[in-house]
């Protein structure tokens, strides 16, 4: 319950939390400093009181004569002033005491204890139940006798000064905490202003697919990583927007032809009465067009899902020759077909991820191995900063009349040639190759 209450009362903004942390830290530090300051002040005031008592007992001690066989008090001009709150003992025998005290008063009893100790000592006594009095003793030694002088000092003025300092320090602490909180909120607000600006810019740029970059602006070093992260996020959003537009355009373009065939066949069928054979032929054309539309949708959506799992916009570098050799081992190639890899540069590299390069070349290699008689040659070479990969087989090749349909999803030159395939590999390879430039 307490944990939930604390979470509910905790500030929800970073500015408020940082200000609360700064306020708490300052409060703890000021509490320690205030306690230490008042402790030191109290000890200093007590030392002042003790110093005054020592001076008074020393002055009174000059009026005590211990040179003879017994203690004698010498009268002086300021005797009345010196006798104020002063006790004089010869051993433990009282010689003189303040006129306003009695033998049973707390001050008199404390004075007797100090006199009996025969050493210089000080003690604090609560007099009248409401005020503290400090007592200090001083011994006066003679050849045959000794005396003890005890002086008392009311600590009320010192306590009042200490309380005044305590109240002043508490007021100063409150003012300092208020200033600390206000200045911290102001400083944190100014420090977080670039973050808010970057967030607003990122939101605006992501909505309009802008090419602006946060990392190129003048920002403190602490915000460099945040700017880079937001730039990467914006790049990802732009890539998704481009992919969405491209997918929408390709769907619209590829579906237009079979949809036009369906509309034309229906208009032709409704133009006049048709025989059963003509109606059956129309049904077959519509069914073929519908199946073509389904194949197109499946191909493009499959590629979109694959591209979401393995984004083609992700950076990477692939060593071309090892990827091609590994791909040859993975593709099902007939035993009578020999496959070789030729490269103008053994260490040729392509600016795409290895998995993406495999997905581009794999349909071409599988198609070549399916129709080759005895040999498939895969050649990789650099061309003006790009990488060109040729997949050549000694098979029958593509019929000239089928060339326009070669990269259309679901199209095959001869569906009865005994080979498996749905006519999806080459369109997918071209789409991926175009996606990476």
């Amino acid at each position: 319950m307490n944990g939930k209450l604390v979470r509910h009362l905790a500030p929800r903004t970073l500015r408020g939390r940082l200000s609360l942390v700064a306020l708490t830290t300052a409060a703890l530090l000021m509490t320690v400093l205030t306690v230490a300051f008042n402790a030191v002040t109290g000890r200093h005031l007590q030392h002042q009181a003790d110093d005054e008592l020592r001076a008074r007992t020393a002055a009174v001690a000059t009026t005590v004569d211990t040179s003879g066989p017994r203690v004698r008090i010498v009268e002086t001009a300021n005797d009345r002033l010196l006798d104020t709150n002063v006790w004089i003992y010869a051993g433990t025998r009282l010689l003189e005491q303040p006129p306003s005290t009695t033998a049973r008063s707390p001050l008199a009893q404390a004075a007797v204890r100090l006199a009996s100790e025969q050493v210089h000592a000080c003690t604090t006594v609560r007099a009248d139940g409401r005020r503290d009095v400090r007592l200090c003793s001083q011994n006066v030694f003679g050849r045959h006798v000794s005396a003890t002088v005890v002086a008392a000092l009311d600590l009320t003025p010192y306590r009042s000064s200490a309380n005044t300092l305590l109240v002043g320090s508490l007021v100063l602490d409150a003012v300092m905490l208020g200033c600390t909180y206000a200045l911290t909120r102001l400083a944190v607000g100014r420090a977080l202003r670039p973050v808010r600006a970057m967030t607003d810019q990122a939101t605006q740029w992501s909505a309009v697919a802008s090419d602006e970059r946060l990392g190129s602006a003048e920002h403190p070093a602490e915000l460099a990583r945040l700017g880079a992260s937001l730039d990467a996020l914006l790049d990802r959003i732009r890539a998704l927007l481009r992919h969405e537009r491209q997918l929408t355009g390709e769907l619209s373009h590829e579906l237009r032809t079979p949809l036009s065939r369906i509309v034309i066949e229906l208009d032709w069928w409704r133009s006049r009465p048709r025989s059963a054979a003509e109606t059956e032929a129309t049904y077959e054309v519509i069914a073929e067009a519908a199946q073509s539309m389904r194949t197109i949708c499946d191909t493009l959506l499959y590629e979109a899902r694959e591209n979401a799992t393995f984004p083609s916009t992700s950076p990477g570098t692939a060593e071309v020759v090892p990827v091609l050799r590994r791909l040859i081992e993975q593709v099902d190639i007939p035993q009578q077909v020999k496959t070789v890899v030729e490269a103008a540069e053994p260490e040729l590299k392509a600016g795409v991820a290895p998995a993406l390069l495999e997905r581009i070349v794999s349909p071409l290699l599988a198609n070549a191995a399916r129709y080759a008689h005895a040999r498939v040659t895969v050649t990789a070479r650099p061309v003006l900063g790009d990488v060109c990969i040729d997949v050549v087989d000694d098979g029958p090749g593509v019929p000239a009349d089928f060339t326009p349909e070669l990269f259309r999803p679901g199209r095959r030159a001869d569906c009865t040639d005994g080979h498996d395939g749905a006519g999806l590999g080459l369109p997918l390879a071209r789409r991926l190759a175009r996606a990476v430039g």
Side-chain angles (χ1 to χ4, degrees), residues 39-120:
V40 172
T41 301
R43 292 181 63 86
H44 178 69
L45 291 176
Q46 182 173 314
H47 288 162
Q48 284 186 340
D50 291 347
D51 292 341
E52 183 175 346
L53 287 172
R54 291 190 188 98
R56 184 177 297 182
T57 56
V60 174
T62 59
T63 66
V64 179
D65 183 11
T66 57
S67 59
R70 60 177 184 156
V71 178
R72 186 171 63 89
I73 300 175
V74 180
E75 298 296 333
T76 61
N78 56 350
D79 183 66
R80 184 180 297 275
L81 179 62
L82 293 176
D83 289 343
T84 303
N85 293 331
V86 173
W87 290 261
I88 301 176
Y89 293 88
T92 58
R93 182 171 59 88
L94 179 64
L95 299 179
E96 186 174 319
Q97 68 176 1
S100 60
T101 60
T102 62
R104 294 183 179 182
S105 66
L107 294 179
Q109 294 177 1
V112 171
R113 288 194 300 269
L114 290 176
S116 63
E117 293 179 359
Q118 295 294 317
V119 294
H120 175 72

Side-chain angles (χ1 to χ4, degrees), residues 69-314:
R70 60 177 184 156
V71 178
R72 186 171 63 89
I73 300 175
V74 180
E75 298 296 333
T76 61
N78 56 350
D79 183 66
R80 184 180 297 275
L81 179 62
L82 293 176
D83 289 343
T84 303
N85 293 331
V86 173
W87 290 261
I88 301 176
Y89 293 88
T92 58
R93 182 171 59 88
L94 179 64
L95 299 179
E96 186 174 319
Q97 68 176 1
S100 60
T101 60
T102 62
R104 294 183 179 182
S105 66
L107 294 179
Q109 294 177 1
V112 171
R113 288 194 300 269
L114 290 176
S116 63
E117 293 179 359
Q118 295 294 317
V119 294
H120 175 72
C122 293
T123 186
T124 302
V125 179
R126 176 60 62 90
D128 302 333
R130 54 186 176 82
R131 62 189 181 93
D132 292 333
V133 178
R134 185 75 171 172
L135 292 91
C136 288
S137 64
Q138 180 173 336
N139 297 318
V140 181
F141 297 99
R143 180 174 299 180
H144 302 288
V145 293
S146 63
T148 302
V149 178
V150 179
L153 180 65
D154 190 359
L155 295 180
T156 301
Y158 297 91
R159 301 296 188 199
S160 177
S161 299
N163 293 334
T164 301
L165 288 175
L166 176 60
V167 173
S169 61
L170 293 177
V171 172
L172 180 61
D173 290 346
V175 174
M176 292 296 294
L177 288 177
C179 294
T180 300
Y181 183 76
L183 292 177
T184 302
R185 284 188 63 88
L186 179 62
V188 173
R190 292 182 63 87
L192 293 179
R193 189 176 301 170
V195 178
R196 291 196 299 269
M198 293 172 66
T199 304
D200 295 339
Q201 289 178 351
T203 303
Q204 180 181 0
W205 293 345
S206 63
V208 299
S210 174
D211 292 332
E212 298 289 340
R213 290 292 185 274
L214 295 171
S216 60
E218 293 289 338
H219 290 304
E222 292 79 3
L223 299 179
R225 293 183 61 185
L226 176 60
S229 300
L230 290 176
D231 285 340
L233 180 61
L234 289 175
D235 290 338
R236 179 63 177 168
I237 293 175
R238 295 184 188 103
L240 292 176
L241 291 176
R242 288 195 300 268
H243 183 268
E244 180 183 356
R245 288 194 296 266
Q246 184 178 3
L247 178 62
T248 303
E250 291 186 1
L251 280 172
S252 175
H253 175 75
E254 299 293 342
L255 293 178
R256 186 179 294 110
T257 300
L259 185 60
S260 299
R261 292 183 59 191
I262 293 176
V263 173
I264 291 173
E265 288 294 332
L266 288 176
D267 291 342
W268 177 78
W269 181 78
R270 288 185 300 182
S271 62
R272 59 183 178 84
R274 300 293 178 179
S275 62
E278 291 175 337
T279 300
E280 184 67 22
T282 300
Y283 289 165
E284 291 179 359
V285 172
I286 294 175
E288 180 184 356
Q291 181 62 33
S292 177
M293 293 175 64
R294 180 178 181 179
T295 301
I296 292 171
C297 291
D298 290 343
T299 301
L300 295 178
L301 293 178
Y302 170 79
E303 191 278 326
R305 288 192 298 268
E306 287 294 307
N307 195 47
T309 305
F310 303 98
S312 60
T313 57
S314 60

Side-chain angles (χ1 to χ4, degrees), residues 12-31:
R12 298 184 179 274
T13 62
L14 180 60
R15 180 183 182 182
R17 292 181 180 180
L18 291 177
S19 301
L20 181 60
V21 170
L23 182 64
T24 303
T25 305
L28 293 176
L29 179 61
M30 290 182 181
T31 300

Side-chain angles (χ1 to χ4, degrees), residues 398-410:
V398 179
D401 58 347
F402 186 72
T403 301
E405 306 289 328
L406 185 62
F407 290 100
R408 293 186 61 185

Side-chain angles (χ1 to χ4, degrees), residues 320-322 324-325 328 338-348 365 375-382 387-392:
V320 177
V321 175
L324 295 179
R325 290 176 178 171
I328 289 175
K338 180 181 179 181
T339 305
V340 296
V341 176
E342 298 177 354
E345 298 179 6
E347 298 182 357
L348 183 63
L365 184 60
R375 183 181 179 86
V376 174
T377 303
V378 182
T379 304
R381 65 184 191 278
V387 176
C388 180
I389 299 177
D390 299 321
V391 181
V392 182

